[in-house]
Every structure is written in structure tokens, then in C-alpha cells.
């Protein structure tokens, strides 16, 4: 179905004839009192923790270098149970958050 611009114009003319003006409502002044925000103690602590995490370095280069050295020397031992436990606990935390 193709609608021409003349059909659209006719439709608009018809619609405008049937539309009745709306009476304006008197505007009410908004209360002069400003908004207030109250944060709980827990939310303040959480906010500080997030701020500290944002300011911290993304990569702890000293730890990375130590692990690289231990891997090169063959003294880096990985406990599979601890790795699996950490992965599961982080997955649970991620799901809860």
C-alpha cells in the first residue's frame, strides 16, 4: 500500500477540523523546598570502597613480576582446589551483585 503526500495532507486537514482546543489548566507553583538525599551508613561505606577501588591500579605489577619469576624458576605451584574454590566463590558473588 502506497500513501501519497496528498492523502497525508487530506488526513491532516480532516484531523485538524475534528480536534477541539484544550483548556489550559492554571499552573501551580512548585514547592520552594529543595530535594533532600539521605544516605545510610552502609551506602557511605560502599561508596568509599568503590572510590578506593577506582583509584587503585588495575594491575599490581609487583605481584605479576613475582609470579613471572616463580614460573620461570619452576617454583610456582598452583593448588587446583584453591583455584576452583576461588572461581566458584567469585561466580556466586557476581551472581548476587
Amino acid at each position: 500500500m502506497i500513501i501519497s503526500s496528498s492523502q497525508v495532507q487530506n488526513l491532516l486537514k480532516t484531523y485538524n477540523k475534528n480536534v477541539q482546543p484544550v483548556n489550559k489548566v492554571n499552573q501551580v507553583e512548585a514547592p520552594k523546598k529543595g530535594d533532600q538525599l539521605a544516605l545510610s551508613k552502609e551506602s557511605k561505606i560502599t561508596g568509599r570502597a568503590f572510590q578506593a577501588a577506582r583509584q587503585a591500579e588495575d594491575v599490581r605489577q609487583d605481584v605479576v613480576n613475582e609470579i613471572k619469576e616463580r614460573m620461570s624458576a619452576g617454583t610456582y605451584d598452583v593448588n587446583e582446589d584453591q583455584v576452583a574454590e576461588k572461581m566458584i566463590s567469585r561466580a556466586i558473588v557476581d551472581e548476587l551483585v
Side-chain angles (χ1 to χ4, degrees):
M1 177 175 173
I2 299 175
I3 300 174
S4 69
S5 66
S6 63
Q7 290 172 320
V8 172
Q9 294 301 323
N10 289 337
L11 180 63
L12 290 174
K13 287 178 187 175
T14 303
Y15 177 74
N16 285 335
K17 288 179 185 175
N18 294 332
V19 174
Q20 297 177 4
V22 178
N23 294 332
K24 290 187 177 180
V25 178
N26 293 336
Q27 291 182 344
V28 178
E29 289 187 30
K32 298 197 182 210
K33 184 178 177 184
D35 292 338
Q36 292 182 347
L37 176 66
L39 298 175
S40 67
K41 182 178 180 181
E42 291 82 13
S43 66
K44 289 178 183 177
I45 292 171
T46 303
R48 282 190 228 126
F50 277 118
Q51 185 178 15
R54 280 192 297 269
Q55 291 174 348
E57 292 182 26
D58 288 340
V59 177
R60 292 177 46 199
Q61 199 59 45
D62 57 332
V63 175
V64 172
N65 291 337
E66 179 186 343
I67 292 173
K68 282 183 179 180
E69 288 174 12
R70 289 174 57 193
M71 288 175 71
S72 297
T75 59
Y76 185 69
D77 186 34
V78 178
N79 184 329
E80 296 87 6
D81 293 334
Q82 288 178 342
V83 172
E85 186 176 318
K86 189 67 105 171
M87 289 172 64
I88 291 170
S89 66
R90 287 193 178 179
I92 291 171
V93 168
D94 288 345
E95 191 68 31
L96 293 174
V97 175

